[in-house]
Amino acid sequence: MITIIKNPKKEVYRDLIDLACEVCDEFHIVLRKDMGSLEEYKNVLKKLEDSFIEMKEQSEWASTILGDNQTAYVYYYRANSHSNQVLKECSKSLYDWVQPNLPEDLSFFKNGKEWIVTISHEKESYILTEDKNEIDKVMNLKKLKVKLKG
């Protein structure tokens, strides 16, 4: 596991999104029902619609398990050149993906398995890979502050 120890911003964020879209085939963003109206996020959702896969109402996702029968809207998208560009247009930082400004917890998946897991409001994120090539690519991202565990 690789822990991201400093919020990737600007160029570092763009490079990380490029790598995530190269390695992964899917990502999700989350809209918590208790944190504002869906109307507020229409612009972001509209920009991403060409890469849209599905929306599920869920009580858990890559980084969170809700209690007390709560659910949120989890939007799944293809990680491709279109979504890559939109993710970089909509935000300049990984931890900017937090309500009320943007949907929450941008996380990426490779073949159905978590690859980048983000807990935006806690300012935490992890890269889950054992692939040596992927680890090397992450470790070689310029100015990305990470800690390799295990």
Side-chain angles (χ1 to χ4, degrees):
M1 176 171 71
I2 302 169
T3 302
I4 298 174
I5 57 176
K6 184 177 179 189
N7 185 12
K9 295 179 181 179
K10 300 179 182 175
E11 178 185 331
V12 182
Y13 169 74
R14 290 190 301 272
D15 290 346
L16 181 61
I17 296 300
D18 286 343
L19 179 59
C21 286
E22 173 189 321
V23 169
C24 299
D25 51 2
E26 192 173 303
F27 66 92
H28 75 39
I29 52 178
V30 179
L31 290 175
R32 298 274 306 262
K33 294 179 188 179
D34 58 342
M35 300 184 81
S37 148
L38 292 180
E39 192 66 30
E40 297 173 57
Y41 305 101
K42 247 185 173 174
N43 190 33
V44 173
L45 300 177
K46 177 97 173 123
K47 286 180 181 181
L48 285 167
E49 73 183 1
D50 286 348
S51 300
F52 179 73
I53 298 170
E54 66 181 331
M55 185 276 292
K56 296 180 182 177
E57 190 171 346
Q58 298 176 218
S59 60
E60 62 182 88
W61 52 92
S63 60
T64 301
I65 299 174
L66 297 175
D68 299 325
N69 297 318
Q70 294 179 333
T71 60
Y73 300 111
V74 183
Y75 290 79
Y76 292 87
Y77 296 92
R78 285 180 291 284
N80 56 28
S81 59
H82 169 260
S83 59
N84 177 328
Q85 192 61 38
V86 173
L87 293 174
K88 293 185 290 188
E89 284 172 11
C90 289
S91 177
K92 304 297 180 222
S93 151
L94 187 59
Y95 300 146
D96 282 352
W97 289 96
V98 63
Q99 287 178 260
N101 300 320
L102 288 168
E104 300 214 333
D105 297 345
L106 174 64
S107 295
F108 286 83
F109 304 87
K110 177 183 175 184
N111 300 324
K113 294 186 179 183
E114 297 163 346
W115 196 80
I116 291 180
V117 174
T118 304
I119 311 160
S120 300
H121 71 277
E122 297 285 343
K123 297 188 177 357
E124 291 181 19
S125 54
Y126 310 94
I127 298 173
L128 307 170
T129 184
E130 294 179 9
D131 182 299
K132 174 83 169 97
N133 186 42
E134 292 173 8
I135 292 169
D136 288 345
K137 286 181 178 184
V138 170
M139 300 308 282
N140 288 320
L141 282 178
K142 250 173 125 177
K143 299 183 182 178
L144 180 66
K145 304 293 185 202
V146 296
K147 183 177 181 181
L148 184 60
K149 294 182 180 181

